[in-house]
């Protein structure tokens, strides 16, 4: 029996999901909607994505919890892709997805033809940067437009004021930025043959470049900006957690977190932080301090606010990620002072675990007394997914993630 499609909840927190584990993390930690891809026509090939059976399962799981599902069908298809498009859209329609996220006008027309009851959301790949384009897209049948990430907050507000109020406005608030306009980049194709639009980007914008003079092969000269070189291609990550009230005042209906290719932990922590940030804004409260701290605990490059406040200082002086914390275990149960953990990364007796639970401020627990599944005292949890008993007076909720700060000097 088909799940009952829930009504939209606006303003909305929209989280990414690359597979079922990440979808469940997004929902557990407070997403109002989740965007994901099937095995075709979506702009991320690195995640495992959802088979037809998994997509139906995901929709059933989400709808039973009042969460909506948006399916990315946002590649720019070639002739060879077109034949399989309508069967794919019918499958997704029958699975019960709430919206198709599309870039291509042919895909939009096919979706309207074979799935008229499914909303059309226009992808950021379309590059909508003005109210005239947004109006035209609405007249063509779109329910929502995901704006180009190059707009300032003032431009977003102007676009909102000059478009039908029935047209929903979605904007990115967190995650990786592309140095090309709304992700329209050919560098990956040029260097590696991997198609960025089909989700296989090699991220050449993160590589280190140098000049080579043609008569001096093998002599590489740095492209200088400072002592370490220039990094004009290497964008910082976006972080708008401190500016949710401004986004809502500008008329943004949906706050989108980037990262379908990232881990379930990233999905959980980012969703948890933005859930609190959005709730604070809606209640008229100042931002809860731990929100900022939480976003520093997930894998990220240096942060910026993108283009929202004018021309950004968005180029970072290194391409590597900041990864100061790692998930070491997931709590399976807690009873009578004993937490049953499933190990994810090595940890040691005496470590301090930083606990992430849905909707709660993070808290810390010392792991001074740990045993293996046979009840034997251990000094370290060394084996993947091993069962560990943690003795603590602090109740830990099932599904909570235990993190440990890395020793960066070791």
């Amino acid at each position: 029996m088909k799940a009952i499609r829930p009504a939209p909840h606006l303003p909305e927190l929209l989280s990414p999901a690359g597979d079922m584990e990440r979808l469940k993390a997004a929902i557990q930690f407070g997403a109002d909607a989740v965007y994901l891809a099937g095995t075709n026509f979506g702009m991320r090939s690195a995640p495992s994505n959802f088979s037809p059976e998994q997509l139906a399962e995901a929709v059933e799981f989400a709808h039973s919890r009042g969460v909506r599902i948006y399916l990315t069908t946002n590649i720019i298809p070639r002739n060879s892709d077109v034949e399989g498009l309508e069967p794919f859209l019918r499958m997704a329609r029958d699975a019960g997805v709430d919206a198709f996220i599309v870039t291509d006008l042919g895909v939009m027309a096919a979706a309207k033809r074979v799935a008229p009851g499914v909303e059309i959301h226009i992808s950021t790949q379309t590059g909508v940067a003005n109210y005239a384009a947004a109006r035209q897209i609405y007249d063509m049948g779109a329910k929502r437009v995901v704006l180009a990430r190059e707009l300032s907050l003032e431009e977003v507000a102007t676009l909102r004021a000059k478009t039908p109020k029935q047209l929903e406005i979605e904007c990115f608030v967190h995650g990786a930025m592309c140095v090309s306009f709304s992700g329209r980049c050919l560098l990956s194709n040029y260097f590696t043959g991997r198609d960025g639009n089909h989700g296989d980007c090699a991220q050449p914008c993160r590589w280190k470049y140098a000049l080579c003079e043609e008569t001096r092969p093998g002599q590489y000269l740095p492209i200088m900006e400072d002592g370490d070189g220039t990094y004009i291609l290497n964008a910082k990550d976006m972080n708008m957690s401190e500016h949710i009230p401004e986004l809502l005042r500008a008329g943004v209906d949906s706050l989108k977190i980037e990262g379908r290719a990232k881990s379930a932990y990233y999905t959980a922590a980012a969703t948890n932080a933005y859930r609190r940030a959005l709730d604070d804004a809606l209640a008229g409260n100042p931002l809860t301090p731990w929100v900022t701290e939480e976003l520093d605990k997930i894998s990220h490059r240096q942060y910026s606010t993108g283009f929202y406040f004018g021309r950004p200082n968005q180029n970072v002086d290194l391409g590597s990620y900041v990864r100061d914390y790692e998930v070491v275990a997931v709590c399976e149960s807690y009873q009578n002072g004993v937490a049953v953990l499933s190990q994810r990364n090595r940890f040691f007796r005496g470590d301090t675990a930083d606990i992430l639970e849905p909707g709660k401020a993070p808290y810390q627990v010392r792991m001074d007394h740990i045993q293996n599944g046979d009840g034997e005292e251990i000094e370290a949890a060394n084996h993947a997914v091993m069962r560990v008993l943690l003795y603590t007076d602090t109740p830990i909720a099932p599904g909570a993630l235990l993190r440990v700060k890395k020793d960066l000097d070791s």
Side-chain angles (χ1 to χ4, degrees):
M1 182 177 178
K2 196 80 67 193
I4 297 174
R5 187 171 296 166
H9 179 275
L10 300 177
E12 166 191 270
L13 179 61
L14 177 57
S15 293
D19 59 19
M20 187 63 74
E21 180 188 13
R22 283 170 270 191
L23 175 126
K24 290 181 177 179
I27 293 172
Q28 180 185 13
F29 283 85
D32 296 308
V34 175
Y35 66 103
L36 49 78
T39 50
N40 302 100
F41 301 101
M43 262 196 62
R44 285 292 181 271
S45 62
S48 55
N49 294 322
F50 292 77
S51 68
E53 296 76 20
Q54 290 169 333
L55 181 61
E57 180 186 353
V59 171
E60 186 76 32
F61 181 87
H63 283 184
S64 69
R65 290 156 178 81
V67 174
R68 289 161 59 85
I69 295 290
Y70 307 147
L71 183 70
T72 60
T73 47
N74 58 344
I75 68 165
I76 299 173
R78 305 292 181 89
N79 290 329
S80 58
D81 297 314
V82 173
E83 186 176 346
L85 177 60
E86 290 197 6
F88 177 81
L89 294 172
R90 290 191 191 95
M91 176 277 297
R93 174 201 65 194
D94 294 343
V97 301
D98 298 287
F100 297 121
I101 305 173
V102 307
T103 298
D104 183 79
L105 293 180
V107 176
M108 182 180 185
K112 291 170 62 177
R113 183 167 58 251
V114 306
V118 179
E119 293 179 5
I120 301 292
H121 295 181
I122 299 301
S123 171
T124 190
Q125 291 289 300
T126 308
V128 175
N130 63 77
Y131 59 82
R135 284 176 181 171
Q136 182 61 38
I137 284 169
Y138 175 74
D139 289 343
M140 294 170 65
K143 174 68 173 176
R144 176 181 298 188
V145 60
V146 188
L147 296 183
R149 279 178 260 195
E150 292 72 27
L151 295 184
S152 70
L153 201 59
E154 182 179 357
E155 290 174 306
V156 173
T158 299
L159 186 148
R160 171 72 287 174
K162 293 179 178 292
T163 51
K165 60 184 178 181
Q166 293 84 3
L167 176 66
E168 296 172 3
I169 303 297
E170 179 178 308
C171 290
F172 281 90
V173 295
H174 196 90
M177 296 280 286
C178 182
V179 294
S180 294
F181 188 89
S182 290
R184 295 181 178 186
C185 181
L186 291 175
L187 281 177
S188 183
N189 267 353
Y190 180 79
F191 283 124
T192 70
R194 291 168 54 179
D195 192 338
N197 180 259
H198 282 59
D200 202 22
C201 183
Q203 295 198 348
C205 57
R206 314 293 180 188
W207 300 351
K208 185 175 181 179
Y209 291 89
L211 290 174
C212 181
E213 201 275 325
E214 65 177 345
T215 66
R216 296 173 175 83
Q219 295 184 29
Y220 299 103
L221 308 173
I223 306 171
M224 298 303 293
E225 183 176 276
D226 57 28
D228 295 318
T230 187
Y231 304 89
I232 192 65
L233 293 177
N234 198 9
K236 295 179 180 179
D237 283 0
M238 179 191 290
N239 181 346
M240 284 291 287
S241 59
E242 298 181 18
H243 302 285
I244 303 303
E246 293 100 309
L247 287 161
L248 298 183
R249 285 195 292 271
V252 176
D253 295 301
S254 180
L255 308 175
K256 187 171 194 172
I257 299 169
E258 183 274 339
R260 279 191 290 127
K262 296 181 180 177
S263 68
Y265 165 57
Y266 170 94
T267 301
T271 301
N272 195 56
Y274 276 92
R275 177 77 269 160
R276 177 57 67 92
L278 178 55
D279 290 347
D280 284 343
L282 292 172
N285 296 328
L287 183 66
T288 301
W290 60 256
V291 168
T292 303
E293 297 169 4
E294 278 297 289
L295 295 172
D296 284 335
K297 292 176 184 177
I298 59 178
S299 178
H300 66 282
R301 298 181 182 92
Q302 294 179 29
Y303 284 132
S304 79
T305 53
F307 290 82
Y308 281 114
F309 298 101
R311 183 177 178 181
N313 174 22
Q314 78 173 80
N315 301 108
V316 65
D317 60 1
L318 71 163
S320 59
Y321 285 94
V322 178
R323 293 186 174 103
D324 293 343
Y325 284 77
E326 65 180 2
V327 175
V328 296
V330 178
C331 182
E332 294 183 349
S333 64
Y334 178 89
Q335 189 173 8
N336 299 325
V338 181
V340 179
L341 310 180
S342 177
Q343 188 260 23
R344 292 296 183 269
N345 285 290
R346 184 174 62 168
F347 63 93
F348 299 89
R349 182 171 65 84
D351 281 346
T352 298
D354 190 87
I355 314 293
L356 174 63
E357 288 186 21
K360 292 183 63 175
Y363 60 93
Q364 295 186 336
V365 170
R366 287 270 299 181
M367 296 190 289
D368 290 324
H369 186 183
I370 56 176
Q371 297 178 349
N372 62 23
D374 296 324
E376 301 167 335
E377 300 288 334
I378 54 175
E379 291 295 316
N382 290 317
H383 306 296
V385 201
M386 70 178 289
R387 194 166 184 256
V388 179
L389 307 180
L390 169 64
Y391 289 79
T392 175
D393 292 333
T394 302
I396 302 175
L401 304 177
L402 283 71
R403 305 167 290 190
V404 170
K405 188 170 184 178
K406 295 180 182 179
D407 183 358
L408 301 179
D409 295 327
S410 61

